[in-house]
């Protein structure tokens, strides 16, 4: 039998941390004794627990400890993080520590250091000279990088569910369903978007082409004009359909304004692509006053950074599309830096990509007409995520109406 | 080898009737020669085709003929319909003719008679004295009823797809998708609803409880007040949730107006049920001024007939619910009589029931957030059906806004 | 300010009970102090907490207490349950206590009494003479029944998640996804079904007609023959399609054995219905050796009780169908009595009905090809429920193969 | 009023070509007279129709003609195709002809030339010297390429639905549903796959990672070993999860063999990626005997070409992934060249990409558990496509069992 004393501090009960720790020890066939436990007597006091954890042998115990350290438990004697150099570019040591998207610290040189740029499923590189730690993707790993191995000296600080306030994220608590009062949810999301921006927050949108097909492109364009979007992450299809809509008034060959089928409609999206190649880029089209409305137009004139990443199904793709996905991921991460809120609008591909890049603290609204898609997006592990199963073509106009109302009230008041 | 001459008349090419006849003969391993074919030279002229159909033997030929008679083909020599008496109540002769939902005639006493009350999958009873024919459900069959057997002397007249006009039913042609301009479709449907009513048409609504959960109950109530609903077909759950919403402001324990969780919310729907039992009926609740708003209230004060059918999953059910489903089906058919348009709003169970009772000529709008559900509803075989994949909580308010606008314009104009 | 001391006992942390109590007090705007807390030092010891709960006023406090009593908290001084007589048949006192599906006790005559026949969303009737308490549906309430009102003297004992053992219910823990190893899940479910039966457990199946369309009818029939089904709950459609399949080899007009379209296939289900009416009942059909295989045949010859409830969409319905849904609900409850496991196979309507009638301790397997349907079924509140998103036509044969293998091994062993 | 005589030849009624032509003329508000019509009197004789089409003016008429030329109609006097040079690399003349995926010919130098490499939504380039025509993607267009503009001199030859034979493609005729006999469909597809290969056909598979999660990886690996796969088109995720499964026995952290959660499972896919980077490539891993089973292993040892295209959501991605999507599309097209059958297994992204590259004549089987996904894939416009709504984890093993049975029978026979 092997044993190890561990401790854990925080809103242990409230945040279910202790529950999960007990659960996991037992799930893995381990045993434990509670040596000490003080519960916060008042809502805002912290609780503290000290446990002795037993495993069948050292290996078994290590498995258990690794699992509960992720939940925020700590060995009572903190040991220094273990580092090993990367043997080659893009190769990690075999026993590398794989990150979560929670805030993480490593114990090095007798102190805890924050790991910067936390993302899920990456490794941690410690710069011994500058005494800093950073989260790195495998393709960015360079020979000789000092990479954290094992679980020792790594502390994960799980996000605590926010308890105060009345925003939509407290209200809906991560579940998704189409059986909710739609208008009311639209209103709450509008309030939260507005609140985020007023507090200097950064709002990023991922969006799929169904926004254009369903007639909601003008709504997103208005959100940009109103200043509620600080970055747009999408792909070729959104841009092509938005430009087709702006130039020719159609989407999938249907007139968006009156819903009739357009003559020559079947070739309109190819024509839109050709127009962008003629101009050379979306920026040039706006500059030459060829493109005068729509989502991409508003991004351009309002200087909102956007990233269009390539995908194997692209027609064209447009000259603005970043066709190498390693480059596209870098651009995405750059635009997402310090985001406070992400609206995922009817695009599974880009939303999953973004979900993987986000630290757990960022607010996420995931919207799609398919419940399985919404459920999948919520699984990405952010603590403050809500899923909405609705028709973007009906929902986004409602949100924008509310945002405009809020703005009118503020201006007049 | 057996053979039979058949003929068929109408917009043969335009309506694809001839295509289907050729297809089916070949699918069944038969052969044919075109003996005569005159195509309508102008859009509105009828075409005519006469074919010799061959089968391997009489039985094989009969199978083929049966199949193509459903498509509107006729033997060149019309033979009298064959009748056999029902051996007992609720029992049909073994070789009974099973109906489609298309207009159907039987040849009897040297003349074609229309079959009344056409529904799918029923039998035809001929009254020899009065020389009338009627479609009957199996449970209504009485011993001695003269029932049509075999295919001889039965003519099916397939509905032709309407070619003129601009309503939504021409525009969308039976497909369903969430990739459509939502606002535009809402507008078109409003125009069509208004147009139907102005021409004295009868509009029936089937509705599920998600209308209340999603916050659209007030919209449906307004449609009733505006005079756009001539009958409501639903079940216990819609009424319970609507009354809960009207009395207590909640649905599924959530405050519909502001989306927060209600205190004691989990028992509200049981309380609503208890209130109806106390009053004795929905009518009494309205009369005693206990129920003062909502869908059921509007039906009651506007004298709109409604049918609430029971189902195995009912809580309660309310005293107004018809718990025997044979009786409930009769009431449904009664309310549906001579309907011109049916709106199927987020309820698969009641919509399929209604679909089975409708002749093919009735306009149907089937709406749900799940595409497979919409597809299933469109399969019921009406010729003028459109499917809309959207969120009822966002869509119905749009439709009602449009209806109100149309009314304002008409009044002011 | 109002206050009340409460206490709660059990595996408080492990089962998350304390977490939920803290959560709810704060959600409702209340406050609390932990007066005493002893944590079970070993896995199997109970924990105990005593709290002082504060509300803004008596009404506010009562709301909070009501909410946390549902979680198992108790006022420190137990007060006798309050009873009021039902004013009329089918009418409860206004302040009636609405049940959960968890084990529940009421404090009466200085003792805790178990409430029998627990179901969700019903009321509790205390028989003063016999000192027993029972859960009743609203339509069964009789004038003068002594009905529990308010929350006082009612104790809810939440089911604790099973911790030991290795069955599928520990393994999958309530989530549903199509991203699971299908074969492996089939094997685990087979083991669990077999284990339940060997321990004398009662297994009930709810099944929809897609079982027949997808070609899995023979598999369900084999499960019945092998003795794994102790009751079948379904509706008209399953029986009609099963009998059509047995008599004519078709389902929805398609030959199930070779997948081709049947000649005259469109009328086969009407013909099947007619054959049952001719014989008078399913039992008669089996007796007269007209029906010789299939699900309904196996139920009949193996004397497995079944209930076919009517629904508004029924064709026919068959003479065996209980057309009044109040009667059908009684029959369902009768067959479900003391069930240990329920398999819900591709039928939302009947599965929701059954879910509402089950106490939380029953094991439930909910299977459908649509994830939203599975999610909805899991929401019914049983503690041991698993959802499987798969194709019943491929999955059920796998389960039955495993059951047969288990039987062969046992016999040979 | 403008007019133009057109003619059309073929199985006009049978293939619905004439129906569509009449429809479209009327849909666009045009008019027509049938000048001549001879119907094939026997099943295999061709029909011929000559029509005078009228439009309101030249522009209106041109719109109509353009629309019906796509359906195979021809002006009675054939005019030479019009060509214009591409003004710059990647820029087409404004009036470029946008292709369908049907067989297409252009009339040049008094003769009809086949257009090679037909794909949807591309342009046609005529090589004046060699008198050849080819379909080109916009990014492949070079300055000076002679590109077809307008509709003149372009003939589209719609694929005719195959009438003879008994394969699954005749049987299922493009619809998708989960209400089909699953086992039977699996058997038919196996027969068709086998038949295709025996006739020297080329079979390409697109596959998503759910194949691994659902436990079907071994089945696909066996199909490759049996020689039924001639190319694999996928992305990073399939390869990563397949290699994780092969090296560590897990997928998404779950042991695929027994369905339990793996210790350290959360980092297994990162470890798998690291192992590939260590080896340098999948090929090296196989060569060094590190990777010894699974889909990627079988492709490597059986020398089956595969293409892994990058996407924005990739972890890693592996060194074998083509991260530039323009290059990836080229590789996809190369592997797809002359394919006879494509199996699309639970991956929407790659399947849509492939659908856009396929000529209409290729047989496509599209399989997914979500009906909307299957419907979307079938919309890609191939004439011989079937959709299957099922669980790949249960379905693919069935198909492979059938294939193995066919092989055993053949070998022993």
């Amino acid at each position: 039998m092997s044993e190890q004393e561990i401790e854990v501090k925080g809103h242990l009960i409230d945040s279910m941390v202790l529950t999960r720790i007990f659960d996991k020890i037992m799930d893995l066939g381990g045993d434990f004794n509670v040596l000490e436990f003080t519960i916060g007597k008042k809502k805002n006091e912290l609780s503290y627990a000290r446990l002795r954890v037993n495993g069948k042998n050292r290996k078994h115990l290590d498995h258990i400890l690794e699992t509960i350290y992720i939940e925020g438990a700590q060995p009572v004697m903190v040991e220094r993080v273990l580092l090993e150099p990367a043997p080659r570019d893009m190769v990690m040591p075999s026993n590398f520590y794989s990150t979560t998207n929670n805030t993480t610290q490593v114990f090095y040189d007798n102190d805890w250091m924050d790991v910067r740029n936390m993302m899920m499923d990456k490794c941690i590189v410690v710069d011994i000279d500058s005494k800093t730690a950073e989260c790195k993707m495998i393709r960015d790993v360079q020979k000789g990088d000092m990479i954290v191995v094992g679980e020792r000296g790594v502390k994960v600080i799980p996000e605590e569910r926010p308890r105060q306030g009345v925003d939509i994220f407290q209200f809906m608590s991560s579940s998704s369903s189409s059986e909710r009062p739609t208008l009311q949810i639209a209103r709450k999301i509008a309030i939260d978007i507005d609140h985020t921006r007023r507090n200097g927050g950064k709002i990023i949108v991922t969006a799929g082409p169904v926004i254009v097909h369903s007639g909601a492109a003008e709504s997103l364009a208005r959100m940009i004009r109103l200043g509620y979007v600080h970055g747009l992450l999408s792909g070729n299809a959104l841009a092509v359909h938005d430009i087709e809509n702006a130039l020719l008034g159609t989407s999938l060959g249907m007139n968006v304004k009156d819903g009739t089928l357009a003559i020559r409609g079947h070739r309109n999206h190819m024509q839109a692509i050709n127009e962008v190649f003629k101009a050379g880029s979306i920026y040039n089209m706006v500059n030459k006053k060829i493109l005068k409305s729509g989502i991409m137009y508003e991004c351009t004139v309002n200087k909102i950074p956007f990233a269009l990443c390539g995908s194997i199904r692209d027609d064209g793709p447009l000259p603005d599309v970043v066709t190498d996905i390693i480059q596209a991921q870098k651009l995405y991460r750059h635009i997402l830096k310090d985001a406070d809120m992400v609206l995922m609008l009817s695009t599974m591909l880009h939303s999953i990509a973004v979900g993987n890049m986000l630290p757990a603290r960022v607010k996420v609204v995931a919207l799609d007409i398919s419940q399985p898609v919404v459920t999948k997006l919520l699984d990405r592990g952010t603590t403050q995520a809500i899923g909405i199963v609705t028709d973007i073509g009906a929902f986004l106009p409602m949100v924008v109406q509310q945002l405009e109302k809020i703005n009118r009230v503020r201006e007049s008041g």
Side-chain angles (χ1 to χ4, degrees), chain A:
Chain A
M1 287 280 286
S2 292
E3 65 175 49
Q4 166 79 36
E5 248 179 74
I6 60 130
E7 60 184 354
V8 58
K9 222 178 291 188
H11 290 104
L12 297 183
I13 291 175
D14 194 25
S15 62
M16 290 186 284
V17 165
L18 207 54
T19 303
R20 285 202 297 269
I21 288 174
F22 286 14
D23 259 36
K24 292 200 164 166
I25 295 173
M26 288 190 281
D27 283 351
L28 295 173
D31 204 353
F32 62 92
N33 273 264
V34 180
L35 304 176
E36 191 185 343
F37 186 81
T38 48
I39 192 167
K41 299 291 186 213
K42 297 285 293 174
K43 199 158 57 175
N44 289 320
E45 291 174 39
L46 296 183
S47 299
Y48 172 84
R50 196 156 53 81
L51 278 70
R52 184 186 309 112
V53 182
N54 297 93
K56 290 166 202 156
N57 48 46
R58 187 68 221 174
K59 199 178 150 206
H60 182 221
L61 179 63
D62 282 346
H63 288 323
I64 296 169
L65 293 176
E66 173 189 24
T67 308
I68 63 177
Y69 290 168
I70 289 172
E71 298 299 334
Q74 274 299 303
V76 170
M77 297 291 292
V78 182
E79 293 174 286
R80 215 179 78 150
V81 75
L82 289 181
L83 303 176
E84 269 182 40
R88 287 207 308 283
D89 281 6
M90 304 193 210
V91 177
M92 305 177 287
S94 292
N95 196 29
F96 71 97
Y97 174 84
S98 181
T99 59
T100 68
N101 62 355
N102 287 297
T103 303
T104 301
Q105 295 181 324
V106 293
F107 193 79
Y108 183 77
D109 203 23
N110 283 317
D111 210 358
W112 288 106
M113 306 188 301
D114 277 333
V115 180
R116 291 179 308 184
N117 288 327
M118 280 314 299
M119 290 177 289
M120 216 172 347
D121 294 337
K122 309 285 176 293
C123 68
I124 299 174
V125 174
V126 172
D127 184 321
I128 291 173
D129 300 327
S130 68
K131 298 213 171 85
T132 55
E134 185 182 13
C135 195
K136 264 201 183 180
M137 303 184 83
I138 191 164
R139 292 226 170 195
D140 293 336
V141 167
Q142 289 176 325
K143 183 175 173 174
D145 274 357
M146 295 308 286
I147 292 181
V148 174
V149 295
E151 310 283 328
R152 186 189 291 180
V154 181
K155 182 162 65 180
V156 174
I157 301 161
E159 219 59 35
E160 292 186 11
R161 189 156 75 87
R163 301 237 34 121
Q164 309 298 332
V166 291
D167 70 13
I168 185 77
F169 295 92
Q170 270 80 36
F171 159 58
M172 288 196 49
S173 60
S174 284
S175 75
S176 72
S177 166
S178 54
E179 299 190 344
R180 300 279 195 153
T182 313
L183 258 156
Q184 188 53 34
I185 290 175
R187 206 175 69 83
K188 292 220 169 203
I189 285 182
I191 291 170
D192 220 78
I193 289 173
D194 182 68
H195 186 263
T196 302
R197 190 194 54 172
R198 264 194 302 149
N199 290 309
K202 181 174 175 182
I203 302 168
I204 304 297
V205 170
T206 66
V210 81
I211 284 198
V212 184
H213 310 326
S214 69
E218 173 53 20
S219 295
L220 181 52
R222 267 194 279 171
M223 270 185 72
I224 299 170
R225 274 203 302 279
L226 290 168
Y228 286 113
V229 179
H230 304 107
L232 176 69
L233 304 178
S234 190
N236 184 62
L238 176 77
V240 169
H241 288 286
D242 174 59
I243 291 169
E244 176 193 339
N245 185 19
L247 295 184
L248 304 160
T250 61
S251 179
L252 293 177
M254 183 185 294
N255 291 310
V256 175
K257 291 288 172 205
D258 63 7
T260 56
L261 283 171
I263 295 171
R264 307 196 86 172
H266 65 283
R267 66 189 286 287
N268 283 4
H269 82 279
M270 293 311 297
Q271 192 178 334
I273 293 169
N274 199 34
E275 292 302 318
V276 184
F277 272 103
K278 254 196 242 172
S281 70
I282 294 171
Y283 179 82
N284 286 354
M285 283 188 95
V286 173
N287 231 19
K288 294 175 181 174
K289 303 205 190 313
I290 300 167
L291 183 64
K292 288 177 286 193
S293 65
I295 298 166
M296 301 316 301
Y297 168 82
E298 295 293 346
C299 282
T300 305
V301 297
N302 291 291
K303 299 194 171 55
I304 304 305
F306 61 85
L308 305 177
C309 71
S311 100
I312 185 76
R313 56 169 287 191
D314 288 353
D315 281 317
L318 298 182
D320 302 76
V321 167
V322 182
T323 61
D324 186 278
I325 62 103
I326 306 289
Q327 297 308 314
Q329 288 182 337
K330 283 188 181 146
L331 187 52
Y332 264 50
R333 282 205 304 279
H334 178 72
I335 292 178
L336 279 171
K337 207 167 151 57
D338 300 324
D340 295 279
M341 190 181 209
V342 175
L343 309 178
M344 298 178 167
L345 306 180
S346 295
T347 168
M348 187 160 75
L349 176 64
H350 307 101
S351 298
I352 288 181
V354 165
N356 289 345
M357 296 172 182
L358 288 180
R361 63 164 190 80
V362 178
K363 289 181 178 184
V364 169
V365 177
L367 186 155
D368 203 282
I369 202 158
S370 155
Q371 192 186 299
V373 168
V374 172
T375 304
K376 199 161 185 175
L377 294 177
L378 292 186
D379 274 0
R380 294 290 110 185
T382 64
T383 315
Q384 301 184 71
I386 56 167
I388 303 169
V389 179
T390 190
D391 174 353
I392 183 85
F395 190 81
L396 200 60
M398 280 180 172
V399 172
V400 174
Q401 269 184 338
Q402 293 294 334
L403 287 173
E404 290 179 328
K405 206 199 257 180
I406 292 169
N407 276 280
R408 275 197 309 273
V409 169
R410 189 172 304 136
E411 279 160 23
S412 70

